[in-house]
Amino acid sequence: MGPKNYLILTLCGILLGIVQFSSGKGIAADEDLPTVYEYFRNSSSDVVGLVAEADGFKLNGKKIKIMSGAIHYFRVHPDLWRDRLKKLRAMGANAVETYVSWNLHEPKMGVFDFGNGTEQMSPFTDIRRFVQIAQEEDLLVIFRPGPYICTEFEFGGFPSWLQRDPDMKVRTNYQPYLDRVKIFFDALMPQVEDLQFTRGGSIIAIQIENEYGFFNAVSKEYLEFLVNYFDNMGITNETLFFTSDGVGSGDRGTLPGLLKTANFGSDVDWNFGQLQEMQPDKPLMVMEYYPGWFDHWFENHQVRPPGAFVDTLDGILGKWDGNVNLYMFHGGTNFAFLAGANAWHEERHYDPDVTSYDYDATLSEAGDYTVKYHLGKTLFELYQEPQIKRTELIPESVKISYPAVPLQQYLSYDDIIAQVPATSKFQVERPLSMENLPMNDGNGQSFGYIIYRKNADVSNGTNFEAGPVKDFGMLLIDSQLQPTGFQDDRYWINSEETFSLSVGASGNHTVDLLIENHGRVNFGNDNDFLQQKGLVDGVYKLNGNDITDIEIIALEFKSAWVNG
């Protein structure tokens, strides 16, 4: 941290101390303050959940200013959940927010994983334990189960096998989609139903869908289906239900009776002004306040200056007496092949997200404190209501510089293909998408790479035509990569291309079209959620003739195979 940042922190601390003194709003001695649960719990069995009233939020009948931060359990190694939650609580927060990733919890249709499965990400899926640890660390929980979550995550949290239905329409009242949502919720909710605040747990609020006002094919019947599901569970009288959207979408993404919350990163006056006009009798809440932003491949890392961050946060908590959830408090990492993408409603305009989800957040991807963390901590402690016992900052993780590791052995392209099991190789007449491959118990291929292989008589100048590839195409002749891009920042991504082959001697050659699934789109309109990968109803030709009788090789790189 440089001298300039120290100066910012010092001046901010002095200024906020003056404000506290002049306003008569001091901070009580820590030993006299209760914890979050000591304050809001009582010995009565008649516990009242979170309610939104004209003069603010009330929990168990007591006023609360919600100061929350987002930590997604599926983006943080389980061994680090407690570390990150401790750091959130030490900032002065009283709540943590998390999404729920359907695709990790139901990797195969009807097969559910809540930490007891065999998939690579199984250890990350014990959502019950994450919620319990949050309570142990004196944090309430804001629960956002989707089923759509966006969050720059693979397919917006949807499982890829939904794409096997050629008529699938996610986020609508399409009955087969609703049926699958109900089946998933029937498996998910028993994991956390007893962890609601009113039943001795930590969950105080549940979100309905996610940023639905941005969707072009809004179905109020779909929203009603979700609300009715929780009604039938009997929990809508125990837990606050809400929606979150950009305020510019108005009432498109919500229903009467649901609390509206806003998502924004700046211009608090306009955003809260619009929200207050739409909902004058409810407290103001920004469910996603952006301290930074996410990154696409081939772009510079997105950052937001600490000054802009703290100015807007001060406006939220102070000027507007609002409530906040920092999105993200700690971004974490898009492990495995789980980063999402943006399409911007144009087939060829495809922007995949990077592995890091650092987000220029208040706590870095490595779990380190930042300037924004300390500035936010000062504001959280100033505007807390009620004032709660502070917890100490725990040490940052120890960093180790490892020595160089000399490469002893490696697998070539042919070596890798030779070790692909027969259950991942298919002889077909015409190309199939990843999702439609007859594998994984009828669930297709979710992640990784796919090879479309043809042994054919070709010569120099033979035209090879294919596409649009979904997403990143590479052409190999006899296992040698051909010049199909990679120069001048031009890549074969989501397009149809024609190449003149250079093969040396004419004759039989192995022509491989290798396609990488770079992540399914997580945000957009209904057409943007048609997200099959590989070659999908596209062109696949040699010298203008359709290529038939081909071999498809699925390269999933599942951990069990890689470890073997």
Side-chain angles (χ1 to χ4, degrees):
M1 186 182 298
K4 182 178 179 182
N5 290 334
Y6 275 121
L7 179 61
I8 292 173
L9 289 175
T10 302
L11 291 176
C12 184
I14 293 172
L15 176 61
L16 291 174
I18 293 172
V19 170
Q20 287 179 327
F21 180 79
S22 62
S23 65
K25 184 175 182 178
I27 297 178
D30 237 24
E31 60 268 20
D32 299 329
L33 295 175
T35 66
V36 171
Y37 285 88
E38 285 172 347
Y39 184 83
F40 289 105
R41 286 272 184 238
N42 57 37
S43 57
S44 170
S45 60
D46 187 19
V47 177
V48 180
L50 186 69
V51 295
E53 298 180 344
D55 61 341
F57 288 109
K58 306 284 179 59
L59 182 61
N60 207 12
K62 300 176 181 179
K63 184 80 177 288
I64 180 173
K65 181 187 282 286
I66 296 174
M67 296 180 178
S68 176
I71 302 174
H72 298 155
Y73 61 95
F74 46 86
R75 283 184 162 127
V76 180
H77 193 280
D79 290 349
L80 297 174
W81 284 349
R82 191 176 298 277
D83 175 272
R84 303 309 192 248
L85 291 165
K86 279 182 178 290
K87 290 170 179 173
L88 174 60
R89 179 63 179 82
M91 188 177 173
N94 52 29
V96 60
E97 171 266 303
T98 189
Y99 279 126
V100 176
S101 53
W102 181 2
N103 49 12
L104 295 185
H105 291 297
E106 195 178 359
K108 295 180 181 179
M109 186 182 296
V111 177
F112 298 98
D113 190 351
F114 295 101
N116 56 349
T118 59
E119 299 289 334
Q120 181 178 4
M121 292 296 291
S122 180
F124 292 74
T125 61
D126 190 351
I127 188 170
R128 179 178 179 84
R129 185 63 189 135
F130 178 82
V131 173
Q132 289 173 326
I133 294 174
Q135 183 170 355
E136 291 168 7
E137 295 304 327
D138 201 35
L139 290 165
L140 303 165
V141 173
I142 298 171
F143 196 68
R144 303 171 81 186
Y148 163 73
I149 61 174
C150 183
T151 192
E152 294 71 61
F153 203 61
E154 156 70 20
F155 202 15
F158 289 130
S160 63
W161 47 258
L162 286 173
Q163 297 282 309
R164 290 174 67 86
D165 177 351
D167 300 317
M168 177 54 64
K169 297 176 180 63
V170 298
R171 309 186 73 192
T172 71
N173 64 341
Y174 176 61
Q175 192 58 51
Y177 168 68
L178 299 183
D179 292 342
R180 293 312 314 179
V181 171
K182 182 180 184 304
I183 291 170
F184 169 57
F185 277 1
D186 282 348
L188 169 67
M189 293 311 295
Q191 300 290 322
V192 296
E193 185 178 1
D194 65 321
L195 300 182
Q196 295 175 86
F197 181 82
T198 52
R199 304 186 190 186
S202 57
I203 297 174
I204 59 170
I206 296 176
Q207 181 172 295
I208 298 297
E209 237 276 345
N210 185 60
E211 294 186 319
Y212 198 52
F214 287 114
F215 193 54
N216 66 316
V218 165
S219 165
K220 296 292 185 177
E221 292 81 6
Y222 166 50
L223 292 179
E224 289 167 355
F225 164 84
L226 296 176
V227 172
N228 289 338
Y229 177 87
F230 293 109
D231 269 340
N232 292 335
M233 284 188 64
I235 65 174
T236 50
N237 293 326
E238 299 181 56
T239 299
L240 181 70
F241 285 79
F242 67 93
T243 57
S244 69
D245 258 310
V247 294
S249 63
D251 291 332
R252 278 175 49 82
T254 189
L255 292 172
L258 297 178
L259 177 74
K260 304 178 190 68
T261 66
N263 297 344
F264 59 84
S266 60
D267 201 352
V268 60
D269 291 341
W270 184 82
N271 281 281
F272 267 175
Q274 292 290 311
L275 182 60
Q276 190 173 65
E277 185 175 323
M278 286 190 293
Q279 191 175 246
D281 59 341
K282 299 294 182 184
L284 297 169
M285 172 84 188
V286 50
M287 187 52 61
E288 294 185 10
Y289 170 51
Y290 309 119
W293 202 242
F294 58 91
D295 300 320
H296 293 130
W297 287 106
F298 315 119
E299 296 178 353
N300 293 328
H301 177 47
Q302 300 287 316
V303 296
R304 187 175 183 213
F309 161 74
V310 75
D311 285 348
T312 303
L313 183 59
D314 191 30
I316 292 168
L317 297 174
K319 179 180 179 180
W320 285 89
D321 192 24
N323 304 264
V324 70
N325 176 55
L326 300 177
Y327 186 100
M328 299 292 295
F329 164 74
H330 170 63
T333 305
N334 293 315
F335 293 103
F337 294 104
L338 292 169
N342 291 102
W344 305 120
H345 319 310
E346 298 175 30
E347 183 176 358
R348 292 186 61 138
H349 194 143
Y350 172 78
D351 291 322
D353 298 320
V354 301
T355 303
S356 170
Y357 202 62
D358 178 81
Y359 216 87
D360 195 34
T362 43
L363 197 70
S364 75
E365 182 178 16
D368 293 338
Y369 303 113
T370 67
V371 173
K372 292 176 186 176
Y373 180 96
H374 293 289
L375 291 172
K377 183 176 188 295
T378 304
L379 287 180
F380 273 22
E381 290 177 350
L382 173 64
Y383 291 117
Q384 274 182 353
E385 187 176 357
Q387 289 184 21
I388 55 176
K389 186 184 292 293
R390 286 177 285 184
T391 60
E392 294 182 0
L393 296 180
I394 64 174
E396 293 179 341
S397 58
V398 176
K399 310 302 188 297
I400 299 174
S401 177
Y402 293 99
V405 178
L407 188 63
Q408 301 287 333
Q409 295 177 308
Y410 68 92
L411 294 176
S412 69
Y413 177 75
D414 288 334
D415 292 335
I416 292 171
I417 292 177
Q419 295 192 45
V420 174
T423 52
S424 295
K425 295 180 178 180
F426 312 94
Q427 201 69 33
V428 297
E429 182 67 14
R430 289 289 292 159
L432 295 173
S433 70
M434 282 185 171
E435 295 78 4
N436 284 319
L437 292 179
M439 61 187 302
N440 292 320
D441 302 319
N443 289 275
Q445 179 183 357
S446 294
F447 311 114
Y449 301 75
I450 186 169
I451 298 171
Y452 299 90
R453 169 169 286 188
K454 179 64 180 179
N455 292 313
D457 285 326
V458 294
S459 58
N460 290 327
T462 296
N463 282 331
F464 175 82
E465 182 181 2
V469 295
K470 303 287 185 176
D471 300 298
F472 194 142
M474 288 163 274
L475 178 63
L476 298 95
I477 306 295
D478 299 328
S479 303
Q480 299 300 308
L481 186 64
Q482 302 301 296
T484 52
F486 307 103
Q487 297 93 23
D488 302 320
D489 294 326
R490 178 182 178 276
Y491 298 87
W492 187 8
I493 300 179
N494 271 37
S495 62
E496 180 183 322
E497 303 287 350
T498 300
F499 303 101
S500 180
L501 302 184
S502 177
V503 297
S506 300
N508 187 271
H509 293 272
T510 300
V511 180
D512 283 353
L513 172 58
L514 172 64
I515 300 177
E516 178 183 359
N517 169 3
H518 227 304
R520 294 178 181 85
V521 167
N522 58 264
F523 178 84
N525 291 331
D526 52 355
N527 288 334
D528 296 317
F529 288 95
L530 303 175
Q531 283 294 302
Q532 292 188 19
K533 296 296 182 178
L535 272 180
V536 186
D537 299 326
V539 173
Y540 184 52
K541 296 181 177 182
L542 281 172
N543 280 338
N545 298 314
D546 287 339
I547 302 174
T548 58
D549 189 23
I550 60 177
E551 182 182 17
I552 294 180
I553 304 169
L555 297 173
E556 297 182 286
F557 290 100
K558 289 186 175 181
S559 57
W561 179 76
V562 172
N563 293 337

